[in-house]
Amino acid sequence: MHFGPRILAATIALALVSTSLVAQTTTAPPATQAEPTRAKHAMVVTIHHDATDAGLEILREGGNAVDAAVAVGFALAVVYPAAGNIGGGGFMLIRPASNKFAHGQPHFLDYREEAPAAASANMYLDANGNLIPKMSITGSHASGVPGTVAGLTYAEQHFGRLTLAKVMAPAIRLAHDGYTLSAEEAAELHSTNLTQFPSSRAVFQRNGNFYQPGDRFKQPELADTLTRIAANPNDFYHGKLAAQIAAFEAANQGLITAQDLAHYQVKERTPLIGHYHGLEVLTSPPPSSGGIALIEILNILSGYNLPKLGSDRSPDQIHIITEAFRRAYMDRGDYLGDPDFNKMPLAQMANPAYAAAWRKTIDPIKPTPSATLVRPAGFMPAASTPLHPHYESNETTHFSIVDADGNAVSSTYTLNFGFGSGVTVAPLGFLLNDEMDDFTSKVGAPNGFGLVQSSANAIAPGKRPLSSMTPTIVSEQPVCSANTKNLSSRPSHNLSSRPESSRSEDTVERPAVPDANATTNCTPGKLRLVLGSPGGSTIMTTVANDLISVIDNHLSIQAAADAPRFHHQYLPDILQFEKAFPLTTVDALKARGYTTRREAEFDEKSAGVWGDSELIEVDPKTGNLLGGHDHRHSFGKAAGY
Ligand code: DON
């Protein structure tokens, strides 16, 4: 296994930090006492109250979950500029409650950014083959072709009930009339990532006359751009807007051309399905790495009775869950990339027999050092150059929506790092992403976050970088009637239950939810959870933790959202904790042999948190909706009716 020099240095530094930690008084986990938000019919949960209100307004006006999601997506582009966007990309998972919506099939919209045609494998290397610091993170060279406008408008056109103009109206209003900045939001706008680019400094920092808490932040240029998109969404990729974006890029050493924009397409991909304790887990396929890793984690954990080991976040539970994380992340690192450029062993990763073999390698007490971890033989193809995941900062955003018919949307989208590349496209008023950093900038060398990646994720024109975003929806199993003669002739849908002999490296399959024309007679199972989070490589461990907290440990959805998180990603071999984790727990894990890191150990003023999960649970007894809004940020909201 190859360790890049920066990974090694970081690992050693973090190990020193951990071992020098002096035991302190135990701190209780935060905010888990908060009650979920309750509603009978519909629910919207987002990181920003104005975006939640936008979604709710659209639901009340007769919109379905997709209408509300599109309204939220555009509203977040206005009120949460650190991550909400029209210059980035993301994923949207749609699950219908019946045949009456979306042809009775779940849909996964991949509107992730794409490498421009001028991008190349070595574009971030100097003449000596060394990485040019920050080039893939900051400034015009860092941006992929944005997919958000295509994704949201595609969703509206194919699955919405209202018009684009209607669902974009709240966002346009918020941009035009402004919204009131809280202290936290005003402080976020001080970002130096914005200061260094004149167009961003002008829009977000009034050229140095910074916005104050309580100020109304108006974005007239963005309002104008959104109005133009609402009138003609094609304009962003094929018209005047495209020409303006391309002209700005050309004038600022950017790579995105009018041809790149014209080439961009939303890709509908087949969602993955796993199973956990009899529930169906509908989740994200590649180019997300999150869904398949989540399925592998849950498959490993299904062999344990977690509550018997201890309570939620007890050292024994953390140990077993961490060992599942470690193993899934090893596979995530070695095999995944853009599915249009790679064949990937997804079915093998989701094989329960493989999970059982992994379980045999887990010591009940002690960690398995990542350096000595050996993959069980006989399941997986030979791995290419290892691809090591990494920890990222906290600037993506997730939202969850259920409408009055029970249709659900789980969507995560991003600019990558906070405020993306830092570059605002003038005079259009929106930030461009720095998603190119999710690619492998140099095989075998760590990127800005310490990630060493393989050629499976190398930069190539038109390619989409590997993502960790993991929008996920959990439900009861579909109920199929006896005359399901066509089931066997349809492709198998359950990645984790196919017979061994039918497994191949081809993994694109239709999930087991009925479509309107199908002769199979299945009723979708009852919706249980809508899940998702930002947080870079911590996303899938957050989603797994949230799911386990509710399903195994019976925490309320609000308690799950607020519970302090732990994370392990195989490399660096460090068990990471959010700052709120009780030190007694951290020390108990350290005593077992883990190298630990508690966020912000030496800066007690730092928030020391990862991404905000924004969650919905359907109460299995009453059918009522329970919203879990993450209190890691102060301005989010769960609301319903
Ligand atoms: O797609 C990804 O995995 C990353 N671009 C997500 C970045 C992220 O979540 C950053 N912070 N929370």
Side-chain angles (χ1 to χ4, degrees):
M1 201 63 60
H2 173 78
F3 289 75
R6 281 168 61 187
I7 285 255
L8 257 186
T11 305
I12 292 165
L14 290 169
L16 288 175
V17 164
S18 277
T19 47
S20 63
L21 183 71
V22 183
Q24 294 174 24
T25 325
T26 301
T27 50
T32 47
Q33 305 87 339
E35 283 294 311
T37 302
R38 293 168 197 277
K40 258 198 158 12
H41 304 290
M43 177 75 72
V44 181
V45 190
T46 85
I47 196 167
H48 200 283
H49 56 96
D50 282 320
T52 295
D53 289 345
L56 206 56
E57 172 185 330
I58 292 302
L59 288 176
R60 286 188 188 281
E61 289 180 7
N64 60 27
V66 172
D67 290 303
V70 176
V72 166
F74 280 114
L76 285 170
V78 178
V79 298
Y80 190 46
N85 69 82
I86 58 172
F91 300 135
M92 183 182 291
L93 181 62
I94 302 167
R95 182 185 186 272
S98 73
N99 290 349
K100 291 185 200 139
F101 176 59
H103 312 294
Q105 291 279 355
H107 293 263
F108 182 85
L109 308 187
D110 166 4
Y111 58 94
R112 185 127 168 99
E113 300 88 333
E114 216 164 71
S120 59
N122 297 332
M123 65 188 281
Y124 299 119
L125 305 184
D126 65 17
N128 298 320
N130 298 317
L131 282 171
I132 301 168
K134 297 246 174 206
M135 194 181 176
S136 62
I137 294 175
T138 304
S140 290
H141 265 79
S143 301
V145 183
T148 295
V149 171
L152 296 182
T153 57
Y154 181 101
E156 185 56 36
Q157 282 159 1
H158 288 78
F159 306 108
R161 197 184 277 160
L162 306 178
T163 63
L164 187 62
K166 180 100 185 156
V167 299
M168 288 186 69
I172 294 169
R173 200 172 61 222
L174 286 162
H176 187 269
D177 298 347
Y179 66 101
T180 305
L181 293 169
S182 64
E184 189 185 351
E185 290 167 280
E188 278 192 356
L189 290 181
H190 283 245
S191 163
T192 52
N193 196 20
L194 298 169
T195 312
Q196 59 188 321
F197 298 103
S199 53
S200 299
R201 191 164 176 266
V203 169
F204 297 101
Q205 301 179 336
R206 285 191 300 206
N207 290 317
N209 177 21
F210 288 98
Y211 286 97
Q212 300 301 314
D215 279 354
R216 222 166 161 72
F217 179 36
K218 298 183 182 180
Q219 299 172 77
E221 291 166 335
L222 181 57
D224 187 51
T225 302
L226 291 172
T227 304
R228 291 166 65 186
I229 293 169
N232 176 14
N234 279 336
D235 201 43
F236 193 92
Y237 293 95
H238 301 278
K240 247 188 172 164
L241 275 172
Q244 282 180 280
I245 296 165
F248 177 85
E249 285 286 280
N252 291 278
Q253 294 84 49
L255 300 182
I256 300 169
T257 63
Q259 288 73 28
D260 289 322
L261 289 160
H263 177 265
Y264 190 85
Q265 284 191 333
V266 176
K267 299 194 178 177
E268 275 221 41
R269 304 198 187 269
T270 306
L272 304 182
I273 293 188
H275 294 92
Y276 189 59
H277 295 330
L279 296 169
E280 187 175 271
V281 180
L282 184 71
T283 189
S284 309
S288 166
S289 61
I292 189 64
L294 177 67
I295 289 172
E296 188 171 341
I297 288 165
L298 295 176
N299 283 349
I300 294 172
L301 294 178
S302 10
Y304 297 92
N305 185 337
L306 291 175
K308 263 202 159 168
L309 297 177
S311 58
D312 195 77
R313 268 71 173 171
S314 60
D316 281 339
Q317 274 208 20
I318 292 171
H319 165 62
I320 293 299
I321 295 168
T322 297
E323 293 307 312
F325 289 169
R326 185 198 302 275
R327 284 153 177 80
Y329 272 76
M330 182 188 194
D331 288 344
R332 182 248 189 231
D334 283 351
Y335 292 104
L336 303 180
D338 183 340
D340 295 339
F341 287 72
N342 297 284
K343 265 193 153 213
M344 291 171 285
L346 300 200
Q348 291 93 323
M349 286 174 74
N351 182 349
Y354 180 49
W358 264 137
R359 275 195 296 276
K360 288 194 188 136
T361 69
I362 298 177
D363 183 288
I365 306 290
K366 296 277 176 202
T368 315
S370 294
T372 66
L373 187 60
V374 177
R375 186 175 280 123
F379 293 93
M380 303 289 279
S384 60
T385 314
L387 186 159
H388 303 303
H390 60 144
Y391 172 70
E392 295 177 62
S393 74
N394 180 20
E395 300 296 357
T396 290
T397 192
H398 178 83
F399 47 96
S400 295
I401 297 173
V402 177
D403 68 21
D405 294 326
N407 305 310
V409 169
S410 174
S411 187
T412 315
Y413 79 151
T414 188
L415 289 167
N416 197 21
F417 289 95
F419 303 103
S421 64
V423 177
T424 297
V425 181
L428 303 176
F430 70 88
L431 284 156
L432 278 171
N433 66 83
D434 57 351
E435 215 69 57
M436 292 296 285
D437 192 63
D438 276 352
F439 277 119
T440 309
S441 290
K442 180 181 177 181
V443 174
N447 72 357
F449 295 112
L451 175 61
V452 182
Q453 304 185 104
S454 82
S455 54
N457 191 32
I459 304 170
K463 193 172 174 183
R464 299 183 181 198
L466 190 63
S467 173
S468 299
M469 295 185 288
T470 315
T472 295
I473 298 175
V474 179
S475 59
E476 292 175 6
Q477 299 285 355
V479 182
C480 298
S481 67
N483 67 338
T484 53
K485 57 183 164 51
N486 270 17
L487 259 187
S488 57
S489 64
R490 296 174 73 203
S492 173
H493 7 263
N494 171 358
L495 274 178
S496 57
S497 67
R498 284 190 303 159
E500 203 83 18
S501 57
S502 74
R503 291 169 201 277
S504 76
E505 294 193 356
D506 174 17
T507 59
V508 179
E509 302 173 67
R510 267 290 139 203
V513 175
D515 66 81
N517 304 318
T519 53
T520 52
N521 195 8
C522 295
T523 312
K526 281 188 196 154
L527 180 66
R528 285 294 306 277
L529 297 170
V530 187
L531 303 172
S533 176
S537 64
T538 66
I539 289 174
M540 49 267 217
T541 58
T542 293
V543 173
N545 272 325
D546 290 343
L547 192 156
I548 291 162
S549 287
V550 175
I551 299 301
D552 293 89
N553 296 330
H554 306 294
L555 262 58
S556 79
I557 196 76
Q558 185 60 61
D562 288 335
R565 307 220 181 90
F566 61 94
H567 173 74
H568 197 292
Q569 58 183 39
Y570 174 59
L571 291 174
D573 190 350
I574 297 171
L575 176 53
Q576 300 175 50
F577 296 92
E578 283 187 322
K579 180 179 163 181
F581 237 101
L583 280 173
T584 45
T585 311
V586 178
D587 288 342
L589 273 301
K590 208 185 295 176
R592 288 169 183 238
Y594 283 99
T595 299
T596 62
R597 176 171 63 139
R598 183 170 155 271
E599 285 298 323
E601 275 165 317
F602 292 115
D603 178 7
E604 286 301 318
K605 285 190 184 133
S606 155
V609 297
W610 303 327
D612 301 56
S613 10
E614 309 294 345
L615 314 171
I616 299 176
E617 179 183 13
V618 181
D619 184 330
K621 287 192 193 116
T622 64
N624 286 342
L625 297 165
L626 307 169
H629 144 60
D630 196 313
H631 288 92
R632 284 169 178 76
H633 276 95
S634 60
F635 40 82
K637 180 172 168 183
Y641 67 89

